[in-house]
């Protein structure tokens, strides 16, 4: 029995040694007897993972189970916070000095943590400048609000270009989306058209790189809700179609740039049978639909069939990758699912297709055509 017990303990010891973990270690000086927390910054709340009371040299070492997707943590003493992202089994080293640890710290072992530090310092600078403007008694309320709004917009454009759209699959891009000024999110994912694009870009990338991540799914839901809000608002504003947008041919033109940068007009295809396809490549059923379209194109293109495919993907680079080898016309609506085009064509969902005859007249759509192959054959 003793031998079996020793063997079982040895197995447990081996299992604990092989468990994949991440490590956060370092020193925070001038903080003797302070309680340092390692906290997980979750989607809904912040929870304490571990804590330690610092001694004279401020040394600390935390560890935790590695996650399948990037996760976010923070080191905290009182109201001083250092934000971190952890990807798998990283060892991140932090050195700081209390009580300025939030702004004066060094981090090693993670490029994402370095980028998050940059973003945190930018955010703190923005907050300080906004406070200075709000305390300027020479400014009117309108001047104060306008000045702060301009600062916020400049900040957002910088962060979008250099952090979010640059590498939307990175944890620091995700972190950037949820920065705040006071209690207000800098990026509004509920009804700001441009901000929703940023959320959608990161959501699409996380769907690709971390398909089972809860954070990715949450981003996706936020972006979709925002898109729906914007769509409803734009549909209300565009309840009627402008007369000059309706062509005498019976279709509404779609002047969009293809994946080579050329401007393409739907109405230029008069004389051919056209399958107008609205599509999102960043969906699970996209490969199946593309295969179906390839079969139709290979079968009927020589007889006069053309496909004019409109992508509603938020990530332009991803769209270009997906369409590089497609033989038909591939264009992209940069406003994605928020585009007024969806209202003009009364799209109720995506994917959706319209069949157009040689005279540029719409003869049917997804809901009315039961046999697409036969319908195309009849028009040819």
């Amino acid at each position: 029995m003793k031998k079996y017990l020793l063997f079982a303990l040895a197995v447990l010891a081996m299992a604990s040694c092989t468990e994949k973990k991440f490590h956060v270690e370092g020193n925070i000086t001038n903080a003797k007897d302070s309680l340092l927390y390692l906290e997980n910054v979750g989607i809904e709340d912040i929870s304490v993972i571990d804590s330690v009371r610092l001694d004279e040299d401020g040394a600390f070492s935390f560890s935790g189970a590695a996650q399948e997707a990037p996760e976010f943590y923070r080191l905290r003493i009182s109201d001083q916070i250092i934000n971190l992202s952890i990807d798998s089994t990283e060892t991140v080293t932090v050195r700081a000095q209390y009580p300025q640890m939030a702004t004066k710290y060094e981090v090693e072992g993670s490029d994402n943590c370095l980028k998050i530090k940059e973003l945190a310092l930018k955010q703190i600078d923005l907050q300080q400048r906004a406070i200075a403007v709000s305390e300027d008694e020479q400014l009117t309320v309108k001047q104060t609000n306008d000045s702060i709004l301009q600062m916020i917009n400049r900040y957002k454009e910088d962060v979008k270009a250099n952090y979010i759209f640059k590498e939307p699959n990175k944890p620091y891009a995700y972190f950037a989306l949820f920065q705040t000024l006071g209690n207000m999110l800098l990026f509004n994912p509920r009804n700001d058209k441009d901000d929703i694009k940023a959320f959608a870009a990161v959501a699409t990338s996380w769907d690709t790189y971390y398909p089972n991540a809860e954070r990715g799914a949450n981003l996706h839901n936020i972006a979709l809700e925002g898109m729906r809000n914007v769509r409803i608002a734009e549909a209300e504003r565009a309840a009627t179609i402008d007369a000059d947008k309706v062509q005498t041919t019976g279709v509404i033109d779609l002047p969009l740039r293809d994946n080579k940068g050329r401007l393409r007009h739907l109405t230029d295809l008069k004389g051919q049978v056209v399958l107008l396809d609205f599509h999102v490549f960043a969906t699970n059923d996209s490969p199946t639909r593309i295969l179906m379209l390839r079969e139709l194109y290979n079968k009927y293109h020589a007889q006069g069939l053309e496909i004019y495919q409109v992508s509603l993907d938020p990530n332009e680079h991803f769209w270009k990758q997906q369409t590089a080898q497609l033989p038909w016309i591939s264009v992209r609506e940069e406003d994605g699912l928020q585009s007024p085009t969806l209202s003009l064509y009364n799209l109720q969902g995506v994917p959706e297709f319209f069949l157009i005859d040689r005279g540029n007249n719409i003869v049917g759509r997804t809901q009315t055509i039961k046999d697409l192959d036969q319908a195309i054959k009849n028009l040819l």
Side-chain angles (χ1 to χ4, degrees), residues 273-287:
V273 173
V274 179
L275 185 63
L276 169 61
D277 185 62
F278 291 92
H279 189 78
V280 177
F281 285 90
T283 57
N284 293 332
D285 58 353
S286 174

PDB file of all heavy atoms in Angstrom, residues 273-287:
ATOM      1  N   VAL A 273     -25.821  38.124 -68.246  1.00  0.00           N
ATOM      2  CA  VAL A 273     -26.622  37.678 -67.114  1.00  0.00           C
ATOM      3  C   VAL A 273     -25.733  37.806 -65.876  1.00  0.00           C
ATOM      4  O   VAL A 273     -24.601  37.311 -65.866  1.00  0.00           O
ATOM      5  CB  VAL A 273     -27.086  36.223 -67.286  1.00  0.00           C
ATOM      6  CG1 VAL A 273     -27.772  35.731 -66.009  1.00  0.00           C
ATOM      7  CG2 VAL A 273     -28.039  36.119 -68.474  1.00  0.00           C
ATOM      8  N   VAL A 274     -26.224  38.483 -64.864  1.00  0.00           N
ATOM      9  CA  VAL A 274     -25.389  38.792 -63.699  1.00  0.00           C
ATOM     10  C   VAL A 274     -25.989  38.186 -62.428  1.00  0.00           C
ATOM     11  O   VAL A 274     -27.186  38.324 -62.162  1.00  0.00           O
ATOM     12  CB  VAL A 274     -25.241  40.317 -63.520  1.00  0.00           C
ATOM     13  CG1 VAL A 274     -24.384  40.630 -62.289  1.00  0.00           C
ATOM     14  CG2 VAL A 274     -24.643  40.948 -64.764  1.00  0.00           C
ATOM     15  N   LEU A 275     -25.126  37.539 -61.686  1.00  0.00           N
ATOM     16  CA  LEU A 275     -25.504  37.090 -60.353  1.00  0.00           C
ATOM     17  C   LEU A 275     -24.872  38.070 -59.362  1.00  0.00           C
ATOM     18  O   LEU A 275     -23.648  38.094 -59.189  1.00  0.00           O
ATOM     19  CB  LEU A 275     -24.988  35.668 -60.084  1.00  0.00           C
ATOM     20  CG  LEU A 275     -25.421  35.040 -58.750  1.00  0.00           C
ATOM     21  CD1 LEU A 275     -26.932  34.873 -58.710  1.00  0.00           C
ATOM     22  CD2 LEU A 275     -24.739  33.702 -58.531  1.00  0.00           C
ATOM     23  N   LEU A 276     -25.701  38.925 -58.772  1.00  0.00           N
ATOM     24  CA  LEU A 276     -25.249  39.895 -57.787  1.00  0.00           C
ATOM     25  C   LEU A 276     -25.296  39.211 -56.424  1.00  0.00           C
ATOM     26  O   LEU A 276     -26.370  38.842 -55.941  1.00  0.00           O
ATOM     27  CB  LEU A 276     -26.159  41.128 -57.801  1.00  0.00           C
ATOM     28  CG  LEU A 276     -25.986  42.132 -56.659  1.00  0.00           C
ATOM     29  CD1 LEU A 276     -24.580  42.724 -56.639  1.00  0.00           C
ATOM     30  CD2 LEU A 276     -27.042  43.238 -56.761  1.00  0.00           C
ATOM     31  N   ASP A 277     -24.123  39.030 -55.828  1.00  0.00           N
ATOM     32  CA  ASP A 277     -24.033  38.253 -54.584  1.00  0.00           C
ATOM     33  C   ASP A 277     -23.478  39.114 -53.461  1.00  0.00           C
ATOM     34  O   ASP A 277     -22.380  39.661 -53.570  1.00  0.00           O
ATOM     35  CB  ASP A 277     -23.123  37.037 -54.792  1.00  0.00           C
ATOM     36  CG  ASP A 277     -23.096  36.134 -53.576  1.00  0.00           C
ATOM     37  OD1 ASP A 277     -24.163  35.611 -53.218  1.00  0.00           O
ATOM     38  OD2 ASP A 277     -22.005  35.942 -52.983  1.00  0.00           O
ATOM     39  N   PHE A 278     -24.237  39.262 -52.382  1.00  0.00           N
ATOM     40  CA  PHE A 278     -23.768  39.952 -51.183  1.00  0.00           C
ATOM     41  C   PHE A 278     -23.229  38.888 -50.222  1.00  0.00           C
ATOM     42  O   PHE A 278     -23.931  37.925 -49.905  1.00  0.00           O
ATOM     43  CB  PHE A 278     -24.907  40.737 -50.525  1.00  0.00           C
ATOM     44  CG  PHE A 278     -25.359  41.916 -51.336  1.00  0.00           C
ATOM     45  CD1 PHE A 278     -26.404  41.780 -52.245  1.00  0.00           C
ATOM     46  CD2 PHE A 278     -24.739  43.150 -51.201  1.00  0.00           C
ATOM     47  CE1 PHE A 278     -26.831  42.867 -53.005  1.00  0.00           C
ATOM     48  CE2 PHE A 278     -25.162  44.240 -51.960  1.00  0.00           C
ATOM     49  CZ  PHE A 278     -26.205  44.098 -52.859  1.00  0.00           C
ATOM     50  N   HIS A 279     -22.003  39.109 -49.766  1.00  0.00           N
ATOM     51  CA  HIS A 279     -21.304  38.017 -49.087  1.00  0.00           C
ATOM     52  C   HIS A 279     -20.427  38.546 -47.949  1.00  0.00           C
ATOM     53  O   HIS A 279     -19.912  39.659 -48.010  1.00  0.00           O
ATOM     54  CB  HIS A 279     -20.429  37.277 -50.115  1.00  0.00           C
ATOM     55  CG  HIS A 279     -19.831  36.000 -49.605  1.00  0.00           C
ATOM     56  ND1 HIS A 279     -20.550  34.845 -49.507  1.00  0.00           N
ATOM     57  CD2 HIS A 279     -18.578  35.701 -49.180  1.00  0.00           C
ATOM     58  CE1 HIS A 279     -19.771  33.881 -49.040  1.00  0.00           C
ATOM     59  NE2 HIS A 279     -18.554  34.391 -48.825  1.00  0.00           N
ATOM     60  N   VAL A 280     -20.242  37.717 -46.918  1.00  0.00           N
ATOM     61  CA  VAL A 280     -19.282  37.983 -45.839  1.00  0.00           C
ATOM     62  C   VAL A 280     -18.352  36.782 -45.760  1.00  0.00           C
ATOM     63  O   VAL A 280     -18.783  35.679 -45.432  1.00  0.00           O
ATOM     64  CB  VAL A 280     -19.992  38.208 -44.486  1.00  0.00           C
ATOM     65  CG1 VAL A 280     -18.956  38.402 -43.372  1.00  0.00           C
ATOM     66  CG2 VAL A 280     -20.916  39.414 -44.545  1.00  0.00           C
ATOM     67  N   PHE A 281     -17.098  36.995 -46.079  1.00  0.00           N
ATOM     68  CA  PHE A 281     -16.142  35.891 -46.110  1.00  0.00           C
ATOM     69  C   PHE A 281     -15.804  35.385 -44.714  1.00  0.00           C
ATOM     70  O   PHE A 281     -15.407  34.237 -44.549  1.00  0.00           O
ATOM     71  CB  PHE A 281     -14.863  36.319 -46.846  1.00  0.00           C
ATOM     72  CG  PHE A 281     -15.028  36.391 -48.335  1.00  0.00           C
ATOM     73  CD1 PHE A 281     -15.434  37.574 -48.939  1.00  0.00           C
ATOM     74  CD2 PHE A 281     -14.808  35.288 -49.129  1.00  0.00           C
ATOM     75  CE1 PHE A 281     -15.603  37.654 -50.307  1.00  0.00           C
ATOM     76  CE2 PHE A 281     -14.979  35.351 -50.507  1.00  0.00           C
ATOM     77  CZ  PHE A 281     -15.378  36.535 -51.104  1.00  0.00           C
ATOM     78  N   ALA A 282     -15.944  36.243 -43.719  1.00  0.00           N
ATOM     79  CA  ALA A 282     -15.600  35.854 -42.353  1.00  0.00           C
ATOM     80  C   ALA A 282     -16.759  35.157 -41.658  1.00  0.00           C
ATOM     81  O   ALA A 282     -17.127  35.462 -40.528  1.00  0.00           O
ATOM     82  CB  ALA A 282     -15.167  37.082 -41.554  1.00  0.00           C
ATOM     83  N   THR A 283     -17.377  34.200 -42.353  1.00  0.00           N
ATOM     84  CA  THR A 283     -18.435  33.389 -41.764  1.00  0.00           C
ATOM     85  C   THR A 283     -18.125  31.927 -42.025  1.00  0.00           C
ATOM     86  O   THR A 283     -17.395  31.580 -42.961  1.00  0.00           O
ATOM     87  CB  THR A 283     -19.811  33.726 -42.369  1.00  0.00           C
ATOM     88  OG1 THR A 283     -19.751  33.545 -43.802  1.00  0.00           O
ATOM     89  CG2 THR A 283     -20.190  35.161 -42.061  1.00  0.00           C
ATOM     90  N   ASN A 284     -18.678  31.049 -41.204  1.00  0.00           N
ATOM     91  CA  ASN A 284     -18.361  29.626 -41.307  1.00  0.00           C
ATOM     92  C   ASN A 284     -18.854  28.998 -42.604  1.00  0.00           C
ATOM     93  O   ASN A 284     -18.252  28.054 -43.111  1.00  0.00           O
ATOM     94  CB  ASN A 284     -18.971  28.882 -40.112  1.00  0.00           C
ATOM     95  CG  ASN A 284     -18.315  29.264 -38.799  1.00  0.00           C
ATOM     96  OD1 ASN A 284     -17.146  29.651 -38.777  1.00  0.00           O
ATOM     97  ND2 ASN A 284     -19.048  29.166 -37.709  1.00  0.00           N
ATOM     98  N   ASP A 285     -19.968  29.513 -43.157  1.00  0.00           N
ATOM     99  CA  ASP A 285     -20.524  28.889 -44.359  1.00  0.00           C
ATOM    100  C   ASP A 285     -19.989  29.510 -45.648  1.00  0.00           C
ATOM    101  O   ASP A 285     -20.411  29.140 -46.744  1.00  0.00           O
ATOM    102  CB  ASP A 285     -22.055  28.951 -44.347  1.00  0.00           C
ATOM    103  CG  ASP A 285     -22.577  30.382 -44.257  1.00  0.00           C
ATOM    104  OD1 ASP A 285     -21.760  31.293 -44.072  1.00  0.00           O
ATOM    105  OD2 ASP A 285     -23.798  30.563 -44.367  1.00  0.00           O
ATOM    106  N   SER A 286     -19.043  30.441 -45.533  1.00  0.00           N
ATOM    107  CA  SER A 286     -18.487  31.089 -46.726  1.00  0.00           C
ATOM    108  C   SER A 286     -17.850  30.097 -47.703  1.00  0.00           C
ATOM    109  O   SER A 286     -18.122  30.164 -48.903  1.00  0.00           O
ATOM    110  CB  SER A 286     -17.477  32.164 -46.333  1.00  0.00           C
ATOM    111  OG  SER A 286     -16.836  32.694 -47.475  1.00  0.00           O
ATOM    112  N   PRO A 287     -16.977  29.172 -47.254  1.00  0.00           N
ATOM    113  CA  PRO A 287     -16.343  28.243 -48.205  1.00  0.00           C
ATOM    114  C   PRO A 287     -17.356  27.436 -49.028  1.00  0.00           C
ATOM    115  O   PRO A 287     -17.161  27.221 -50.223  1.00  0.00           O
ATOM    116  CB  PRO A 287     -15.507  27.333 -47.307  1.00  0.00           C
ATOM    117  CG  PRO A 287     -15.215  28.168 -46.106  1.00  0.00           C
ATOM    118  CD  PRO A 287     -16.458  28.973 -45.888  1.00  0.00           C
TER     119      PRO A 287
END
